Amino acid sequence: MHRVTKEEYPLDSLQRILNGVTFFKELIHQDESQFEVLMSIAQIVTAESNETIIKKGDYSNSLYFLLRGQLSVYVEEEQGEHALNEINAGEVFGVMSMLLNQPRSASIRTGDKTALLASIDFKHFSNIEDFSMFSLETKLTFYRMVANNLRWTLERNKIENSAHPLIPRLYKIPLFNGQKGGSDELEALFKQSHLLAELVSEWNDS
């Protein structure tokens, strides 16, 4: 992978591409200055065709967004590679490993075409009491996205195995019912995201 240059992707062109990802789109419309701060710390990279982006067992503190292309998620077994699923443009990946600081549970590589990705270091969002770089509203948008991503993963798992013994645990993870937009919601989303990530991890191990 290599970082893109302004010649390859001018800022206006890159912004149009980023608009295809809900998190970036919401941030652009909420507060363009916060979007610019995010761009100052985000890594925008391209990956060649059939290039491995993540290897199973790797540690990473980054969250990834696929902007263009398609990725394959797989694990290597004695009888060969076992495909798990695909990641399409606009989707997020790496949430669970980021939150739990666990090794990657699968490998990810590009398909037959090059891919464009953005990554964000979690250290900029891990402290929910620090608003020196990102505002309360931006962190709320971030953790809503993270929690929704994990819930969608669990919903897909539930559809595939409606009798799984961990399903009752999903319903016990509390939803926030207070006034939205404040620090109470951010704290609730932070806790909810970690509980959801732990549940996904247990589900994968089972």
Side-chain angles (χ1 to χ4, degrees), residues 131-180:
F131 305 112
S132 58
M133 177 174 285
F134 292 111
S135 66
L136 171 62
E137 188 175 21
T138 297
K139 290 196 172 183
L140 280 167
T141 302
F142 178 84
Y143 277 101
R144 286 171 188 152
M145 176 264 297
V146 168
N148 287 338
N149 176 271
L150 290 164
R151 281 195 178 276
W152 173 237
T153 297
L154 287 164
E155 286 297 327
R156 286 189 302 182
N157 289 352
K158 189 176 72 172
I159 291 170
E160 292 175 2
N161 185 356
S162 60
H164 199 286
L166 287 174
I167 289 176
R169 285 262 304 278
L170 174 60
Y171 299 124
K172 291 181 181 179
I173 296 176
L175 296 172
F176 180 70
N177 295 315
Q179 185 173 354
K180 291 189 175 182

Side-chain angles (χ1 to χ4, degrees), residues 101-141:
N101 193 29
Q102 291 181 347
R104 301 292 189 184
S105 59
S107 298
I108 298 176
R109 68 167 171 242
T110 57
D112 295 333
K113 298 180 180 179
T114 59
L116 180 68
L117 306 101
S119 68
I120 299 172
D121 194 317
F122 186 51
K123 69 181 181 182
H124 301 294
F125 288 90
S126 57
N127 185 347
I128 59 172
E129 296 179 352
D130 179 11
F131 305 112
S132 58
M133 177 174 285
F134 292 111
S135 66
L136 171 62
E137 188 175 21
T138 297
K139 290 196 172 183
L140 280 167
T141 302

Side-chain angles (χ1 to χ4, degrees), residues 43-131:
Q43 300 273 342
I44 310 295
V45 299
T46 57
E48 298 301 320
S49 60
N50 298 308
E51 180 178 350
T52 299
I53 296 171
I54 288 172
K55 288 184 178 180
K56 182 180 178 180
D58 286 351
Y59 281 87
S60 175
N61 204 34
S62 294
L63 181 65
Y64 289 86
F65 303 82
L66 180 60
L67 306 179
R68 278 186 174 173
Q70 190 176 60
L71 306 176
S72 298
V73 183
Y74 66 95
V75 291
E76 293 181 355
E77 300 175 339
E78 288 184 4
Q79 61 270 36
E81 290 182 1
H82 173 59
L84 299 177
N85 62 286
E86 292 182 339
I87 299 169
N88 298 303
E91 294 185 347
V92 183
F93 62 99
V95 172
M96 195 172 66
S97 181
M98 173 192 74
L99 287 173
L100 303 180
N101 193 29
Q102 291 181 347
R104 301 292 189 184
S105 59
S107 298
I108 298 176
R109 68 167 171 242
T110 57
D112 295 333
K113 298 180 180 179
T114 59
L116 180 68
L117 306 101
S119 68
I120 299 172
D121 194 317
F122 186 51
K123 69 181 181 182
H124 301 294
F125 288 90
S126 57
N127 185 347
I128 59 172
E129 296 179 352
D130 179 11
F131 305 112

